[in-house]
Amino acid sequence: MSNTKAPLIIFDNYTQDQWTQQETENVKVVVDFFQHLMNEHNFEYTLKTFGGGSYIQHNRAIPNEIEGLVGYVKTMVNRFPEYSFDVKKIFTDGDFVILQSHTTMKAKHRGNEKKGFIITDTFKLKEGKLAEHWDAIQPIDFFSRFLMLVTGGTIGNNNSTF
């Protein structure tokens, strides 16, 4: 495993003057969740902090609930230990928080916009807790396209994609 640390989401760079206090709090919840799960791969913290509630997953390849998502990410990390997200933009509107990220499987590809995936994650929160998740994934290079082809057929839930 590389000594290169995963990207850190710097919340202050994204704070917008027009966000309400609730929107700002929602962004903090999503950033905390995303950083610990997707970049630090701290599954224990993620389950302890965010697990146990109702969480609807709209990515058909991933099982419902935070526990299902953690299991999915564990599998990714086992295959790609340097897997991480570099969040480029954060948007919020009411109960929705959207992250636009550049995802790479190897530390040496971080920052190389010709490698990895462009991923847009949309979260809905209820009463300050993660409630639903949708994503849109765009593979950038041949390896990413191939990975999507060989892993994209598994169905983990029966939720609508919209």
Side-chain angles (χ1 to χ4, degrees), residues 91-158:
F91 306 93
T92 185
D93 185 16
D95 292 333
F96 291 91
V97 176
I98 302 169
L99 303 180
Q100 185 182 47
S101 305
H102 178 217
T103 303
T104 53
M105 301 304 179
K106 296 181 178 186
K108 70 180 183 179
H109 293 155
R110 290 183 192 139
N112 181 348
E113 294 184 7
K114 294 181 180 182
K115 299 287 186 183
F117 300 87
I118 300 165
I119 300 182
T120 301
D121 289 283
T122 302
F123 294 90
K124 182 176 183 181
L125 289 87
K126 286 186 182 174
E127 299 176 5
K129 296 190 183 298
L130 298 171
E132 295 186 64
H133 171 261
W134 300 260
D135 59 18
I137 303 170
Q138 178 183 351
I140 299 171
D141 60 347
F142 176 79
F143 172 78
S144 300
R145 289 184 187 113
F146 180 73
L147 183 63
M148 289 293 293
L149 179 67
V150 297
T151 63
T154 304
I155 304 295
N157 69 61
N158 291 319

Side-chain angles (χ1 to χ4, degrees), residues 3 5 9 11 15 31 40-41 48 59 65 75 81 83 86 100 104-105 112-113 118 123 127 153:
N3 289 334
K5 292 191 178 209
I9 301 170
F11 173 74
T15 303
V31 166
E40 296 176 17
H41 310 140
K48 180 180 174 187
N59 178 327
E65 309 304 338
T75 300
Y83 166 75
D86 181 11
Q100 185 182 47
T104 53
M105 301 304 179
N112 181 348
E113 294 184 7
I118 300 165
F123 294 90
E127 299 176 5

Side-chain angles (χ1 to χ4, degrees), residues 45-57:
Y45 174 88
T46 303
L47 289 170
K48 180 180 174 187
T49 305
F50 301 100
S54 176
Y55 177 81
I56 300 170
Q57 178 59 254

Side-chain angles (χ1 to χ4, degrees), residues 22-74:
Q22 186 60 55
E23 289 170 333
T24 301
E25 292 304 315
N26 287 344
V27 168
K28 287 180 182 179
V29 168
V30 170
V31 166
D32 184 49
F33 169 73
F34 217 71
Q35 180 64 30
H36 284 94
L37 178 62
M38 299 301 198
N39 287 332
E40 296 176 17
H41 310 140
N42 187 339
F43 305 122
E44 184 177 322
Y45 174 88
T46 303
L47 289 170
K48 180 180 174 187
T49 305
F50 301 100
S54 176
Y55 177 81
I56 300 170
Q57 178 59 254
H58 293 279
N59 178 327
R60 297 290 307 278
I62 303 173
N64 272 325
E65 309 304 338
I66 297 297
E67 294 77 6
L69 175 59
V70 167
Y72 183 85
V73 173
K74 278 183 181 180

